[in-house]
C-alpha cells in the first residue's frame, strides 16, 4: 500500500534543510497551500458560482480583471495576512505593495510576490489557469520592511512555485533543494506528494509562443520558430506548437515532457509582457532547480536587476538545450552580433 505524504508532512520533513527556518517558512508554505485550496474550490465551480466574467475593473497592467482574479487575490492576501509570517505582499492585482502590520506579523521575515490567477482570460472557457508565487527573506532587520526588501534579484529567492488548476490541481514548488509536485486529493482536502524530484528533460519537441505576433518578433526569434517548424535531417523532426494562454500550464507541460515557453519583446510589448518579480523569477528559480534554463534571450533571468515591483521582461524558459538553441539564433541577429 503506497503511503500518502501530504504537503504539510513533507514541509516539516524538509524543514531541516533550512537551518535558520524555525518553522516560519513551513508555516508560510502552509498558508499558501490553504489559500490555494480555497481558490481551487471556486475555480472548479466557476461556471456555477456566478463568479465568471469581468469585474469591470482593470489592474495595474491595464488588463481587465475577472471576478475570479479579484477573489483569488483576496484569498492569498488574507491567508498571508493572518498567517503571521509575511510582511509584504507584491501582487499583479495591486498597484502598490501590501504592507502587513498586525499583531501576528510583528516579526514577520518574508516577502511574497504573487500572480494570484495567471491566465485568467481562460477561466470563462474552462482552460487551465494557475497561481505563481515567489518568497524572499527581508534584507533589512530593523523596523518595518520597505520596498528595498522587495527589489531583490531572483537569485535571492528562498522558495518559489505554482499551483495549476487543471485536469487535477497541483502545487509544485522548490526551496532550492530540487522540485516536488503535490496533487490535491479532494476526498481528503490535502495536497499529496505525487511527483517527487521533478526533472525537466534537457531536450523537447514542443514550443510555446503566441505566433499571432510573429510579424512583430525580433528576427532571431523568427529564425528559431522556423527552426522548430522544419525538419533538419541532421538534428530534429518538426516540433509541435502548444500555446494555451496560460504560462503556468505551458511551463508545467514543459517540466513534465520537455519544451520551451517564449514571450519575447514585441512591437507592442517592447520590454516583454511577463512580470519579472512574480512571473519570470519564480518560474526561472523552479525551472533551474529542475535542470532547465531561463533567460531574457541574452541574460539569466535570475540575475536581472529588479528596479520596480511590476517590471517586465522577455523570457525564454524550459529545456536547457532548447533555450540554448533559441539564444544562439537570437545572438545571430543581436546588435552585438552581426547576422552570420
Ligand atoms: P498573450 C497570461 O496573461 C500571461 O501572463 C501568461 O500566462 C500567458 O502565457 C500570456 O500572458 C498570454 O499573453 O499576449 O499571448 O495573450
Amino acid at each position: 500500500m503506497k503511503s500518502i505524504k501530504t504537503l504539510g508532512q513533507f514541509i516539516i520533513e524538509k524543514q531541516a534543510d533550512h537551518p535558520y527556518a524555525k518553522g516560519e517558512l513551513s508555516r508560510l508554505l502552509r498558508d499558501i497551500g490553504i489559500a490555494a485550496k480555497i481558490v481551487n474550490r471556486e475555480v472548479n465551480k466557476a461556471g456555477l458560482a456566478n463568479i465568471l466574467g469581468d469585474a469591470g475593473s482593470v489592474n495595474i497592467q491595464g488588463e481587465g480583471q475577472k471576478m475570479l482574479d479579484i477573489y483569488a487575490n483576496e484569498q492569498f492576501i488574507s491567508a498571508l495576512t493572518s498567517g503571521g509570517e509575511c510582511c509584504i505582499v507584491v501582487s499583479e492585482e495591486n498597484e502598490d505593495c501590501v504592507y502587513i502590520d498586525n499583531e501576528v506579523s510583528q516579526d514577520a521575515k518574508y516577502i511574497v510576490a504573487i500572480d494570484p490567477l495567471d491566465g485568467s482570460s481562460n477561466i470563462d472557457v474552462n482552460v487551465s489557469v494557475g497561481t505563481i508565487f515567489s518568497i524572499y527573506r527581508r534584507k533589512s532587520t530593523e523596523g518595518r520592511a520597505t520596498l528595498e526588501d522587495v527589489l531583490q534579484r531572483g537569485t535571492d529567492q528562498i522558495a518559489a512555485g505554482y499551483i495549476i488548476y487543471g485536469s487535477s490541481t497541483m502545487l509544485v514548488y522548490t526551496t532550492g533543494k530540487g522540485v516536488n509536485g503535490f496533487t490535491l486529493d479532494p476526498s481528503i482536502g490535502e495536497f499529496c506528494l505525487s511527483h517527487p524530484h521533478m526533472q525537466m528533460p534537457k531536450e523537447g519537441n514542443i514550443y510555446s509562443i503566441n505566433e499571432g505576433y510573429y510579424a512583430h518578433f525580433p528576427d532571431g526569434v523568427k529564425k528559431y520558430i522556423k527552426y522548430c517548424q522544419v525538419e533538419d535531417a541532421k538534428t530534429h523532426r518538426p516540433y509541435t506548437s502548444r500555446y494555451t494562454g496560460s504560462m503556468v500550464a505551458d511551463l508545467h507541460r514543459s517540466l513534465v515532457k520537455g519544451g520551451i515557453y517564449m514571450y519575447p519583446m514585441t512591437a507592442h510589448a517592447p520590454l516583454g509582457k511577463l512580470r519579472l518579480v512574480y512571473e519570470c523569477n519564480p518560474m526561472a528559480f523552479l525551472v533551474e532547480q529542475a535542470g532547465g534554463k531561463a533567460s531574457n534571450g541574452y541574460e539569466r533571468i535570475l540575475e536581472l536587476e529588479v528596479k520596480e515591483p511590476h517590471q517586465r521582461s522577455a523570457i525564454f524558459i524550459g529545456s536547457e538545450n532548447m533555450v540554448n538553441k533559441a539564444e544562439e539564433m537570437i545572438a545571430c541577429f543581436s546588435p552585438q552580433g552581426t547576422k552570420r
Side-chain angles (χ1 to χ4, degrees), residues 291-307:
K293 184 172 183 181
S295 83
N296 63 2
Y298 303 95
E299 303 160 272
R300 185 183 178 212
I301 288 284
L302 293 182
E303 290 175 0
L304 295 176
E305 186 185 358
V306 179
K307 299 188 181 94

Side-chain angles (χ1 to χ4, degrees), residues 53-226:
D54 298 327
S57 52
V58 294
N59 62 16
I60 180 184
Q61 333 299 343
E63 296 164 346
Q65 288 177 302
K66 299 286 185 185
M67 286 193 280
L68 214 42
D69 275 328
I70 293 172
Y71 178 82
N73 193 44
E74 288 169 352
Q75 292 308 316
F76 281 100
I77 290 176
S78 168
L80 293 167
T81 300
S82 54
E85 303 303 340
C86 177
C87 51
I88 301 179
V89 179
V90 181
S91 169
E92 177 173 60
E93 302 305 328
N94 293 68
E95 180 162 1
D96 299 321
C97 297
V98 178
Y99 291 88
I100 299 171
D101 186 9
N102 57 28
E103 63 281 358
V104 293
S105 309
Q106 288 312 302
D107 58 354
K109 298 183 181 62
Y110 293 96
I111 287 97
V112 176
I114 192 161
D115 182 356
L117 210 59
D118 177 66
S120 55
S121 58
N122 286 332
I123 293 166
D124 298 1
V125 294
N126 209 14
V127 172
S128 298
V129 292
T131 296
I132 308 172
F133 63 89
S134 169
I135 300 174
Y136 291 87
R137 276 175 78 87
R138 59 178 290 186
K139 283 206 176 301
S140 58
T141 51
E142 301 300 323
R144 275 186 58 180
T146 67
L147 185 60
E148 285 315 303
D149 289 301
V150 169
L151 304 178
Q152 299 185 51
R153 277 186 169 77
T155 46
D156 292 335
Q157 290 175 96
I158 298 293
Y162 60 84
I163 296 100
I164 177 168
Y165 311 97
S167 50
S168 66
T169 296
M170 280 190 71
L171 187 151
V172 180
Y173 84 97
T174 182
T175 59
K177 304 271 186 183
V179 175
N180 292 281
F182 300 78
T183 300
L184 182 63
D185 180 341
S187 68
I188 59 172
E190 290 285 0
F191 282 105
C192 300
L193 183 63
S194 55
H195 297 66
H197 312 301
M198 296 183 83
Q199 282 293 300
M200 180 174 267
K202 292 295 181 190
E203 191 59 79
N205 67 355
I206 301 173
Y207 70 102
S208 300
I209 188 168
N210 186 337
E211 294 191 58
Y213 305 140
Y214 181 85
H216 306 290
F217 288 150
D219 289 341
V221 174
K222 290 179 178 176
K223 182 174 169 73
Y224 179 67
I225 291 172
K226 289 304 168 202

Side-chain angles (χ1 to χ4, degrees), residues 63 92 115 117-122 132 209-211 213 243-250 261-263 268 273-275 279:
E63 296 164 346
E92 177 173 60
D115 182 356
L117 210 59
D118 177 66
S120 55
S121 58
N122 286 332
I132 308 172
I209 188 168
N210 186 337
E211 294 191 58
Y213 305 140
Y243 189 74
T244 67
S246 170
M247 177 192 196
V248 169
D250 287 327
Y261 171 92
M262 298 171 276
Y263 208 108
H268 66 280
K273 175 188 180 186
L274 278 297
R275 302 295 175 167
E279 291 176 323

